[in-house]
Amino acid sequence: MREFNPFFKKFSSKAKKIAVIYPNRYVGGISNTGIQRLYFEVNREEKYIAERFYTDVFNGLRSVESATPLEKFDVALFSIQYEEDAFSAVRILSSSGFSGKKIAGGPCITQNPFPYLKHFDRVFIGEAENAVRSIVEDELTDGLFPLSNKRRVVSLDTEMKRQIVADGAYGKAILIEMGRGCPRGCRFCIVRQIYSPPRWRSRDSIIEIAEENIGLAGKVALIAPSPTDHPEFLEIVSELQNMGYEVSPSSIRADRFDEEHAELLGDVKTLTLAPEAGSERLREVLNKGISEEDVMQAAEISSAKKIKLYFMFGLPGETYSDLDEIVRMVEKIRNLGKSVQVSINPLVPKPHTPFQWLPYGGDLSKNAMENIKELKKKRDYLYSKLRRIADVEIENIERFAVQTVISRGDESMGDFLDRKVRLSTIRKFRLERFLEGFSPDYEFPWDRIDMGYRKNRIRREFEISMEKAGIEF
Ligand code: SF4
């Protein structure tokens, strides 16, 4: 792997050694601005030295920089980005002989820290910028659960002064976090809940970062949950292009993609859009705010020959005719002369979202295993309809059941993270309760965390979505 700009600090007996661990593949970790920021902040301090660990480099047991075994480090800082990364994190801890301080943060910890408490000395809820030293030294209570139960939020005005440029998920690119949080109100979305309030980085700050890193890469990746919502998106893209950069936004919303965007972003091979549901009715249940017309218009005006579409299934009130609407949308795009790639995931009803009361599978009248059976039927139905007209990928239903269990689990889940949980484990240890629906008055473990919203508000959102889905509860 070729990297530009990593730190090479010499170990000294006085420096505290901090392992920054991304328990997943290098390509994702190197493209994550949060982890890069953490690495930069720790190394900026004279009395610390940070080195990185990824699961596909020395199996996560030795550092990238100096191949030093994890057991030689004093502190391990884990960033858990996806639920299943918890298995890798626990495997790394148990097979490395590490005996120092274990701290975990990242979106999965922020959404629900309870399943992780058994394996870490501290878990961090929220945003860790400008606080890494205090976290390592135990001087900060803000965000460190259980010393504090309040999510820590920072302003976006400080920037990552230095970053490693390498071939990551965006190719070889300068990463610029354009915004955090999302002003939209999609009811299934954890991003808007754990990164609220929405914040944008100013145009000046974005240009300054691009100027400071000029020469390191020919491309800038503009990263945000919804970059095209930035009030100066077009001006920023244009300015970066005038500096000689190719610009790649992390995603594009169909309702923001017009002729001006298409022209400015130039020739693209694939345009990725996320209608999430095939029918207008279900998009209203989700509060997605994108119409079929938006999707068709974006597909039509884009120079891309391939349109990649993201959908979910297992939605509340979903019928087979809603699934047919997915097929119809794909056919309509094919009729524009474009090829279509379709990625379909079962909905994972996440903590803190208005869908947290839903069962996995979406049908409140069914128990966990009945919902899983129905999801499998729907998966087969979608495959049979789509495989002749699109390149289709449907995520593994049992794997997503495991994700649901980890994301909604409580402290008892900790006992299962040191084995690879499967559907059979879920049944054997009676973890199905985390897949079931909940009554609106149910007290979730994560209700104890102050995320900055009132539960009544998301309950009202849930009620509205149920009304729109035609479900009584
Ligand atoms: S637009 Fe995307 S990031 Fe924003 S709330 Fe909807 S799904 Fe979440």
Side-chain angles (χ1 to χ4, degrees):
M1 114 213 11
R2 204 150 167 241
E3 293 188 326
F4 299 84
N5 235 3
F7 283 84
F8 285 107
K9 281 173 98 170
K10 277 207 178 123
F11 282 119
S12 87
S13 53
K14 284 190 203 132
K16 202 177 248 187
K17 291 187 271 309
I18 317 281
V20 174
I21 305 175
Y22 178 68
N24 205 319
R25 291 171 58 223
Y26 174 87
V27 67
I30 203 64
S31 316
N32 184 295
T33 50
I35 297 167
Q36 286 239 18
R37 171 82 192 219
L38 200 68
Y39 175 73
F40 159 73
E41 261 191 48
V42 180
N43 272 321
R44 194 173 54 181
E45 303 268 344
E46 223 167 88
K47 59 178 186 171
Y48 298 142
I49 171 165
E51 297 201 338
R52 290 162 296 139
F53 293 71
Y54 306 97
T55 50
D56 53 350
V57 182
F58 303 122
N59 212 11
L61 300 174
R62 288 172 180 268
S63 68
V64 170
E65 286 81 357
S66 64
T68 304
L70 180 58
E71 59 179 301
K72 305 269 186 224
F73 283 73
D74 303 298
V75 179
L77 290 178
F78 282 84
S79 179
I80 313 281
Q81 300 282 320
Y82 307 101
E83 285 83 3
E84 286 162 286
D85 291 355
F87 299 126
S88 302
V90 173
R91 193 255 314 152
I92 288 171
L93 283 174
S94 59
S95 49
S96 64
F98 178 77
S99 59
K101 190 193 279 182
K102 295 164 273 182
I103 305 172
C108 289
I109 303 288
T110 300
Q111 75 175 359
N112 179 14
F114 295 95
Y116 305 89
L117 296 180
K118 179 183 168 196
H119 298 281
F120 297 95
D121 302 310
R122 294 269 184 256
V123 289
F124 186 78
I125 298 170
E127 301 164 8
E129 281 125 301
N130 304 324
V132 176
R133 187 172 49 77
S134 326
I135 293 171
V136 167
E137 302 299 342
D138 244 353
E139 288 167 355
L140 182 94
T141 53
D142 200 9
L144 262 188
F145 186 82
L147 304 176
S148 154
N149 68 344
K150 196 168 166 32
R151 178 173 64 102
R152 184 172 186 270
V153 182
V154 301
S155 78
L156 259 197
D157 51 5
T158 53
E159 66 203 55
M160 194 158 70
K161 289 277 182 211
R162 177 173 169 174
Q163 62 178 277
I164 302 167
V165 176
D167 217 352
Y170 302 98
K172 190 181 163 206
I174 314 290
L175 309 175
I176 302 182
E177 189 187 20
M178 188 181 214
R180 196 175 294 176
C182 183
R184 308 280 180 155
C186 307
R187 295 190 177 103
F188 59 88
C189 181
I190 186 68
V191 168
R192 78 168 182 136
Q193 292 300 97
I194 62 175
Y195 294 114
S196 70
R199 287 148 284 168
W200 294 116
R201 190 177 295 290
S202 71
R203 177 173 163 183
D204 287 350
S205 168
I206 290 169
I207 300 303
E208 203 179 307
I209 301 170
E211 273 166 355
E212 275 168 10
N213 288 286
I214 220 152
L216 281 182
K219 193 202 267 186
V220 164
L222 291 175
I223 299 167
S226 182
T228 42
D229 279 330
H230 191 294
E232 293 185 282
F233 178 77
L234 290 172
E235 291 83 350
I236 290 165
V237 173
S238 167
E239 218 166 313
L240 291 171
Q241 287 174 339
N242 289 339
M243 290 166 72
Y245 282 115
E246 181 193 335
V247 180
S248 174
S250 55
S251 64
I252 287 175
R253 265 189 70 100
D255 59 338
R256 302 286 291 186
F257 189 75
D258 56 17
E259 261 117 16
E260 220 179 335
H261 286 79
E263 198 179 320
L264 199 60
L265 292 169
D267 283 343
V268 283
K269 283 197 193 104
T270 306
L271 177 72
T272 303
L273 302 169
E276 311 289 7
S279 67
E280 214 75 61
R281 182 183 75 88
L282 280 189
R283 281 194 297 275
E284 278 200 24
V285 173
L286 301 178
N287 202 27
K288 183 66 193 175
I290 285 180
S291 67
E292 181 169 323
E293 205 186 325
D294 295 327
V295 175
M296 293 312 298
Q297 189 185 307
E300 195 167 356
I301 60 180
S302 170
S303 61
K305 295 265 182 298
K306 187 198 272 181
I307 308 296
K308 182 166 186 187
L309 300 173
Y310 279 97
F311 293 100
M312 293 186 295
F313 72 124
L315 305 177
E318 180 180 82
T319 64
Y320 281 77
S321 62
D322 293 305
L323 304 184
D324 289 338
E325 292 290 291
I326 295 179
V327 181
R328 204 180 51 78
M329 190 185 281
V330 170
E331 275 168 344
K332 275 180 84 175
I333 294 175
R334 262 174 54 99
N335 290 342
L336 297 172
K338 314 258 179 180
S339 70
V340 187
Q341 191 180 347
V342 188
S343 173
I344 313 181
N345 294 342
L347 168 78
V348 174
K350 293 273 187 169
H352 304 292
T353 70
F355 283 175
Q356 65 181 351
W357 289 278
L358 286 177
Y360 177 62
D363 190 336
L364 282 154
S365 68
K366 289 188 164 66
N367 69 28
M369 291 307 143
E370 288 167 348
N371 259 316
I372 287 177
K373 204 168 156 201
E374 182 62 19
L375 277 173
K376 288 181 176 172
K377 259 175 77 183
K378 286 179 174 170
R379 174 200 59 197
D380 294 345
Y381 183 80
L382 283 164
Y383 259 132
S384 71
K385 297 272 176 179
L386 286 168
R387 70 174 162 226
R388 277 186 298 275
I389 56 171
D391 175 6
V392 53
E393 186 186 40
I394 304 182
E395 276 296 346
N396 185 300
I397 285 156
E398 296 192 5
R399 228 187 98 205
F400 269 53
V402 170
Q403 281 185 23
T404 306
V405 165
I406 299 172
S407 80
R408 310 199 320 172
D410 56 22
E411 273 128 307
S412 67
M413 255 324 284
D415 293 338
F416 301 96
L417 295 183
D418 45 15
R419 66 189 89 185
K420 195 88 184 158
V421 177
R422 296 192 166 84
L423 192 61
S424 54
T425 329
I426 291 175
R427 298 185 74 166
K428 187 169 165 198
F429 293 96
R430 302 195 186 289
L431 301 174
E432 292 106 319
R433 64 185 185 281
F434 300 125
L435 295 171
E436 308 276 2
F438 297 94
S439 95
D441 296 321
Y442 187 79
E443 294 277 320
F444 294 106
W446 53 84
D447 289 346
R448 288 162 54 197
I449 311 288
D450 179 359
M451 296 291 282
Y453 67 82
R454 278 177 294 110
K455 194 174 176 186
N456 276 351
R457 181 179 63 72
I458 60 165
R459 179 169 166 170
R460 181 69 199 125
E461 279 288 310
F462 175 61
E463 287 164 357
I464 294 170
S465 69
M466 292 300 99
E467 274 161 36
K468 288 189 182 287
I471 297 171
E472 278 185 31
F473 61 96

